[in-house]
Amino acid sequence: MAHAVKFERRASSSATEAAIAAISALIGDRLTLSQAVRDLHGRDESFHPSHAPDAVAFAKSTEEVSAIVKICAEHGVPIIPFGTGTSLEGHVAALEGGITVDVSQMNEVLRVSPDDMDVTVQAGVTRKQLNEYIRDTGLFFPIDPGADASLGGMSATRASGTNAVRYGTMRENVLALTVVLADGRIIRTSKRARKSSAGYDLTRLFVGSEGTLGIITEVTVRLYGQPEAVSAAVVAFESIEGAVRTCIETIQSGIPVARVELLDDIQMHAINLYSKLDYKVAPTLFFEFHGTDASVAEQAERVRDLAEGNGGGEFVWATKPEDRTKLWSARHSAYYAGLALRPGCKGMATDVCVPISRLVDCISETKDDLKQSPIQATLVGHVGDGNFHLCFLLNPDDPAEIAEAERLHERLVLRAISMDGTCTGEHGVGYGKMQFLAAEHGEAVAVMRQIKKALDPDNILNPGKIVRP
Amino acid sequence: MAHAVKFERRASSSATEAAIAAISALIGDRLTLSQAVRDLHGRDESFHPSHAPDAVAFAKSTEEVSAIVKICAEHGVPIIPFGTGTSLEGHVAALEGGITVDVSQMNEVLRVSPDDMDVTVQAGVTRKQLNEYIRDTGLFFPIDPGADASLGGMSATRASGTNAVRYGTMRENVLALTVVLADGRIIRTSKRARKSSAGYDLTRLFVGSEGTLGIITEVTVRLYGQPEAVSAAVVAFESIEGAVRTCIETIQSGIPVARVELLDDIQMHAINLYSKLDYKVAPTLFFEFHGTDASVAEQAERVRDLAEGNGGGEFVWATKPEDRTKLWSARHSAYYAGLALRPGCKGMATDVCVPISRLVDCISETKDDLKQSPIQATLVGHVGDGNFHLCFLLNPDDPAEIAEAERLHERLVLRAISMDGTCTGEHGVGYGKMQFLAAEHGEAVAVMRQIKKALDPDNILNPGKIVRP
């Protein structure tokens, strides 16, 4: 289904076999040739087809990853890093064969500093595991892409999510990385100081590089104090314009809203059905406020005033933790709720991000496209960032539907780019969005290619993703 | 004075003359050979000696910069970008001769979007000029390195300053750059979306690259709403420990303090003398709070409680704008106040940044060093970030004093690095701190070198800074 780009296997059978034998000698039965395990590692959560690697190596340490990379480099065999497999643009597909390095057994929290409000973990630690581990420190790690992804994968894909509007994305929250380079060398991209002007920003270069420049094995991230008070609210609007306008005014007023999510009428209908709720079926904002009791109350009151001025209805509050959990569970189930609208369908999810002044235009034109098409899709947005997701609900066995979804998808992406936006706000490029990079970046893609060639001259690191050298 | 690294002129006289003739044909009398102008462009505000370029070209547009770079590339002549010359590690010195491209006449604000809270400017626009221009929009640009630097220079050096603790540094606030590459190609590093996962983060690669990978000609930055209420306060402590502890607790509590500056007893003495004030001569914190009336009052009250628990004295408030101006003028005059302690002396300023948990140790050991030395120095810190500055007050004609300052400086930098900190939090590398990069980054310096070679194979962009290929 979709994007049936054909690739050739890279290494000869004998080179691949030699690499497998050498890695096997190194890590024993943590290297597996099992077809089931390989298939599982060739796909992520997207609609992109699976491309299984030749073998999967479960690494335990940075040094092991380095040794595996050296073996692969020697034999010219591709290496694909793998965290939890929750990426959305085919990032983990072994398009040219090779060895997948699974870091899920590298799941130790290496160091926590409550005073510095930072932590260093192995790449396989997931965000929920991390938050469980540090709960007693009074700190938390805010980035929440929905899935319980690994910190290594979240760094590699520059993940963000619902509360990026307040806490930023992985771009802002990674302090340092340990990276294994294409020749097996190990580097640390930075010390732990909160800021530094000491040379090129290698941390930010590897954040979002999707395993194509190096394999991330350790991650140091910022933490935040758990808010004293949290409250959440849901408010329906007469129009999407009113909802987005409220969001713009909220941010302009400097109100430090922690989350502000837009769901369209179809998505609200889906959530009501799926989660047995009775929200109004209309464009709706979900808010969350963090702070002291007094500041949360003040923030909420100010936002309510702004919403009222933009055609917002009644605020439905969730101040008790269990009510908030219910509210955000409903929000997080948006994808599955959408799928339930059409039993047996498959979701083709995409995301774009535009300057917020263009968000209403971008969403309206997209919904007009959808109205004129037989395809159904749900829309949710991290609207404070200008980022929204569309999920096409498709019959996977109907090529005409898939072709129509691809047509609408391409129009959406080019529309976002024409509005000075990006082809992906948070899902990444993988191999699903490579064809849009030139439209977005022009000549800058050549610079990306120069960097790829400089750091991975033999193109063995996750080949076929982001740029082809 | 200091760092007398010897460099050879790069290009032959005839090559340089040919480049000068071609640029002159392009921009007429905006190319100058005047010795006075060249001398002025060979030095910044640091103690590093001047290295004048062979000529200075005043460019008016990105296209002109591109044409100049193409000419220099053709003749193998170095190019050094120049904004306001307020850098602090010799960034603008023409160490190998060549042409300085001065962007100060590229001073147009190209586009303001109040809804998106961002702005695009030519590289020569200064931060004060920008804030003047956008005042009526209710927005402001917060990054304040002290000097009225150009946005191009601030991007190139990854500048920050007093309110980075709340608003971040140039790393967090640059959305996109227009850059002229070593062969004259022009790229835009990103669209204007608040976040993107579309490929390598070229924006962050060029932020902090100090003109060694490309010449920044246009800058898009984030803006913020002018706070409704602002208040500031000064509080003296019995010990530096108590002051730093207060700062750590403030940040851990999630209090969104806008500024928190530490000044040591010597610096307070200097400020009292220089600005005719009567602050207590003790380790002191200067605070500023931004928000609504209610939230500013709440923030201040909470910080006062924390300070009290850590040996802090009375809060001296500055709520009226004129009182705040007086307070921050005193803070910003710290450098000159220090110099006035020793008439005729020259300041040798440096900065380091460490994880905040190590700040007390780093400062205490540094002050112990100073106590055992005849050299005097003042200390101020952006303590919320773990960043502090030391300014040695030196007789520029006494080689023994200079050698002693260099010894203490090296001990300071290596101490910061050993504490998982950086050799420079905000001043940059230039040629003054190149010798410390290997101690800080190890093998990662080789990666920086690979990137430099890939993007500037002939090493014509600001050679002799950050890394030597």
Side-chain angles (χ1 to χ4, degrees):
Chain A
M1 177 174 172
H3 301 292
V5 187
K6 283 285 162 273
F7 287 88
E8 295 296 319
R9 296 187 60 76
R10 174 82 65 80
S12 66
S13 313
S14 62
T16 304
E17 276 163 27
I20 286 173
I23 297 168
S24 184
L26 185 76
I27 64 170
D29 61 7
R30 284 187 284 115
L31 181 98
T32 176
L33 303 176
S34 143
Q35 189 64 47
V37 174
R38 286 161 54 204
D39 285 343
L40 202 69
H41 283 77
R43 72 163 68 253
D44 56 18
E45 293 192 351
S46 71
F47 57 96
H48 299 294
S50 179
H51 292 261
D54 295 300
V56 178
F58 292 85
K60 292 258 196 197
S61 68
T62 298
E63 289 66 31
E64 268 189 7
V65 173
S66 165
I68 292 167
V69 168
K70 278 180 186 163
I71 291 167
C72 288
E74 185 190 336
H75 296 284
V77 172
I79 309 133
I80 305 98
F82 188 99
T84 58
T86 49
S87 59
L88 289 165
E89 289 294 349
H91 297 74
V92 300
L95 298 174
E96 306 186 18
I99 312 292
T100 289
V101 177
D102 182 311
V103 298
S104 61
Q105 294 181 25
M106 293 176 62
N107 62 353
E108 263 184 67
V109 176
L110 299 172
R111 183 196 59 75
V112 184
S113 170
D115 273 356
D116 296 320
M117 298 169 77
D118 67 22
V119 62
T120 300
V121 301
Q122 285 188 304
V125 169
T126 70
R127 66 179 184 86
K128 286 186 183 169
Q129 182 194 345
L130 172 59
N131 275 323
E132 195 61 41
Y133 189 93
I134 61 176
R135 177 164 298 166
D136 293 344
T137 62
L139 301 169
F140 82 115
F141 174 67
I143 315 296
D144 170 9
D148 187 22
S150 67
L151 274 285
M154 289 173 66
S155 302
T157 55
R158 203 182 293 130
S160 50
T162 53
N163 45 27
V165 63
R166 165 131 181 196
Y167 298 97
T169 72
M170 290 303 277
R171 179 175 77 192
E172 287 78 22
N173 285 288
V174 175
L175 283 173
L177 297 168
T178 300
V179 178
V180 175
L181 301 171
D183 57 6
R185 275 179 300 156
I186 297 165
I187 62 164
R188 185 88 184 148
T189 58
S190 172
K191 298 283 188 183
R192 265 194 320 117
R194 276 293 158 117
K195 62 185 197 184
S196 170
S197 289
Y200 305 148
D201 190 346
L202 298 184
T203 305
R204 250 52 56 182
L205 182 62
F206 286 101
V207 169
S209 66
E210 303 185 0
T212 65
L213 300 179
I215 298 183
I216 295 167
T217 58
E218 292 176 13
V219 184
T220 301
V221 289
R222 298 178 63 153
L223 302 173
Y224 295 81
Q226 291 164 11
E228 284 175 35
V230 176
S231 96
V234 172
V235 55
F237 286 81
E238 290 158 17
S239 68
I240 281 196
E241 286 81 350
V244 173
R245 195 74 231 158
T246 301
C247 179
I248 293 177
E249 291 172 4
T250 298
I251 288 166
Q252 278 190 334
S253 311
I255 300 169
V257 60
R259 287 169 159 160
V260 47
E261 296 283 300
L262 172 71
L263 293 84
D264 78 345
D265 49 349
I266 300 174
Q267 186 67 70
M268 289 305 292
H269 171 60
I271 279 183
N272 280 343
L273 284 180
Y274 187 79
S275 299
K276 300 189 177 39
L277 296 166
D278 56 357
Y279 288 124
K280 190 172 172 188
V281 175
T284 300
L285 289 179
F286 283 41
F287 283 104
E288 189 165 279
F289 306 102
H290 293 179
T292 60
D293 284 326
S295 82
V296 160
E298 189 186 34
Q299 288 175 54
E301 198 177 317
R302 286 156 61 86
V303 169
R304 192 165 45 182
D305 288 349
L306 297 174
E308 243 177 49
N310 287 296
E314 195 195 349
F315 265 57
V316 181
W317 291 98
T319 38
K320 280 185 284 183
E322 58 271 29
D323 292 343
R324 283 205 311 280
T325 302
K326 206 168 144 192
L327 186 160
W328 289 109
S329 299
R331 162 65 189 87
H332 277 319
S333 72
Y335 176 68
Y336 296 103
L339 295 186
L341 282 181
R342 186 180 180 190
C345 77
K346 194 156 176 178
M348 177 175 154
T350 188
D351 89 303
V352 296
C353 187
V354 294
I356 201 167
S357 67
R358 303 308 307 276
L359 191 57
V360 168
D361 289 344
C362 196
I363 290 176
S364 302
E365 291 178 28
T366 304
K367 286 186 75 79
D368 284 348
D369 259 15
L370 285 166
K371 268 180 215 149
Q372 292 161 31
S373 168
I375 305 279
Q376 201 174 17
T378 53
L379 187 152
V380 297
H382 309 317
V383 73
D385 302 311
N387 183 204
F388 71 94
H389 301 249
L390 208 60
C391 185
F392 297 99
L393 310 177
L394 303 177
N395 173 356
D397 300 320
D398 185 343
E401 274 197 22
I402 292 162
E404 170 66 359
E406 289 190 334
R407 185 184 71 83
L408 295 176
H409 179 223
E410 180 169 324
R411 282 174 59 83
L412 167 61
V413 167
L414 296 179
R415 178 180 302 129
I417 292 171
S418 76
M419 291 176 174
D420 223 350
T422 177
C423 68
T424 173
E426 55 180 25
H427 288 181
V429 179
Y431 73 100
K433 279 188 168 159
M434 280 175 74
Q435 79 253 42
F436 300 119
L437 277 200
E440 179 167 339
H441 292 302
E443 188 64 26
V445 177
V447 176
M448 295 184 195
R449 205 172 286 125
Q450 284 172 282
I451 291 167
K452 169 73 175 171
K453 271 172 121 161
L455 298 190
D456 180 22
D458 298 325
N459 189 25
I460 60 168
L461 294 174
N462 207 5
K465 317 294 163 60
I466 301 188
V467 286
R468 263 180 231 109
Chain B
M1 176 175 171
H3 301 291
V5 186
K6 283 286 163 270
F7 288 88
E8 294 298 318
R9 297 186 59 77
R10 173 81 65 81
S12 67
S13 313
S14 61
T16 304
E17 277 164 27
I20 287 172
I23 296 168
S24 185
L26 184 75
I27 63 170
D29 62 5
R30 285 186 283 115
L31 181 99
T32 177
L33 302 176
S34 142
Q35 189 64 48
V37 175
R38 286 162 54 203
D39 285 344
L40 203 69
H41 282 78
R43 73 163 68 251
D44 56 19
E45 293 192 349
S46 72
F47 57 96
H48 299 294
S50 180
H51 292 262
D54 295 300
V56 178
F58 291 85
K60 291 258 196 196
S61 69
T62 299
E63 290 66 32
E64 268 188 9
V65 173
S66 165
I68 293 167
V69 169
K70 279 179 187 164
I71 291 167
C72 288
E74 185 191 336
H75 295 284
V77 171
I79 309 133
I80 305 98
F82 188 100
T84 58
T86 48
S87 59
L88 290 165
E89 288 293 352
H91 296 74
V92 299
L95 297 174
E96 306 186 18
I99 312 292
T100 288
V101 177
D102 182 312
V103 298
S104 62
Q105 294 181 23
M106 292 176 63
N107 61 353
E108 263 183 68
V109 176
L110 300 172
R111 185 197 58 76
V112 184
S113 170
D115 272 356
D116 296 320
M117 299 171 75
D118 67 22
V119 62
T120 301
V121 302
Q122 286 188 303
V125 168
T126 70
R127 64 179 185 88
K128 286 184 183 170
Q129 182 193 342
L130 172 59
N131 276 323
E132 195 62 42
Y133 189 94
I134 60 176
R135 177 164 300 167
D136 293 343
T137 62
L139 301 170
F140 81 116
F141 174 67
I143 315 296
D144 170 8
D148 186 22
S150 67
L151 274 285
M154 288 173 67
S155 302
T157 56
R158 203 181 293 130
S160 51
T162 53
N163 45 27
V165 63
R166 166 132 180 193
Y167 298 97
T169 72
M170 290 303 277
R171 178 175 76 190
E172 286 80 21
N173 285 288
V174 175
L175 283 174
L177 297 168
T178 300
V179 178
V180 174
L181 301 172
D183 57 6
R185 274 179 301 156
I186 298 166
I187 62 164
R188 184 88 185 147
T189 58
S190 172
K191 297 283 186 181
R192 260 190 328 114
R194 275 295 157 114
K195 62 184 198 186
S196 171
S197 289
Y200 306 149
D201 191 346
L202 298 183
T203 306
R204 250 52 56 183
L205 182 63
F206 286 100
V207 168
S209 66
E210 302 184 2
T212 64
L213 300 179
I215 298 183
I216 294 167
T217 59
E218 293 176 12
V219 184
T220 301
V221 289
R222 298 178 63 153
L223 303 174
Y224 295 81
Q226 291 164 13
E228 283 176 36
V230 176
S231 97
V234 172
V235 54
F237 286 80
E238 291 158 15
S239 68
I240 279 196
E241 287 81 349
V244 173
R245 195 73 230 158
T246 300
C247 179
I248 292 178
E249 291 172 4
T250 298
I251 287 166
Q252 278 190 333
S253 311
I255 300 168
V257 60
R259 287 169 158 160
V260 47
E261 296 282 301
L262 171 72
L263 292 83
D264 78 345
D265 49 349
I266 299 173
Q267 186 67 68
M268 290 305 293
H269 171 61
I271 279 182
N272 279 342
L273 284 179
Y274 187 79
S275 300
K276 301 190 178 37
L277 295 166
D278 56 358
Y279 288 123
K280 190 171 172 187
V281 176
T284 299
L285 289 180
F286 283 40
F287 283 104
E288 190 165 278
F289 306 101
H290 292 180
T292 60
D293 284 327
S295 83
V296 160
E298 189 186 34
Q299 289 176 53
E301 198 177 317
R302 287 157 61 87
V303 169
R304 192 165 46 182
D305 287 349
L306 298 174
E308 243 177 49
N310 287 295
E314 196 195 348
F315 264 57
V316 181
W317 291 99
T319 38
K320 281 185 282 183
E322 57 270 30
D323 292 345
R324 283 205 312 279
T325 303
K326 205 168 144 191
L327 186 160
W328 290 110
S329 300
R331 162 65 190 86
H332 277 318
S333 72
Y335 176 69
Y336 296 103
L339 296 185
L341 283 181
R342 186 181 180 190
C345 77
K346 194 155 175 179
M348 177 175 155
T350 189
D351 89 304
V352 296
C353 187
V354 295
I356 202 169
S357 66
R358 305 307 308 276
L359 191 57
V360 168
D361 290 343
C362 195
I363 290 176
S364 301
E365 291 178 26
T366 304
K367 287 186 74 80
D368 284 349
D369 259 16
L370 285 165
K371 268 181 213 148
Q372 291 162 32
S373 167
I375 305 280
Q376 201 174 18
T378 54
L379 187 151
V380 296
H382 308 317
V383 73
D385 302 312
N387 184 205
F388 70 94
H389 301 250
L390 209 61
C391 184
F392 298 99
L393 310 176
L394 304 177
N395 173 357
D397 301 319
D398 185 343
E401 274 197 22
I402 291 163
E404 170 66 358
E406 289 190 333
R407 185 185 71 84
L408 295 176
H409 179 223
E410 181 170 324
R411 281 173 60 83
L412 167 61
V413 167
L414 297 180
R415 178 179 303 130
I417 292 172
S418 77
M419 291 176 173
D420 223 351
T422 176
C423 68
T424 172
E426 55 181 25
H427 288 182
V429 179
Y431 73 99
K433 278 189 168 159
M434 280 175 74
Q435 79 252 44
F436 300 120
L437 278 201
E440 179 167 339
H441 293 300
E443 188 64 27
V445 178
V447 175
M448 295 185 195
R449 205 172 285 124
Q450 284 172 283
I451 292 169
K452 169 72 173 171
K453 272 171 118 160
L455 299 190
D456 181 22
D458 297 325
N459 191 24
I460 62 168
L461 293 175
N462 207 5
K465 317 294 163 60
I466 301 188
V467 286
R468 263 179 232 109

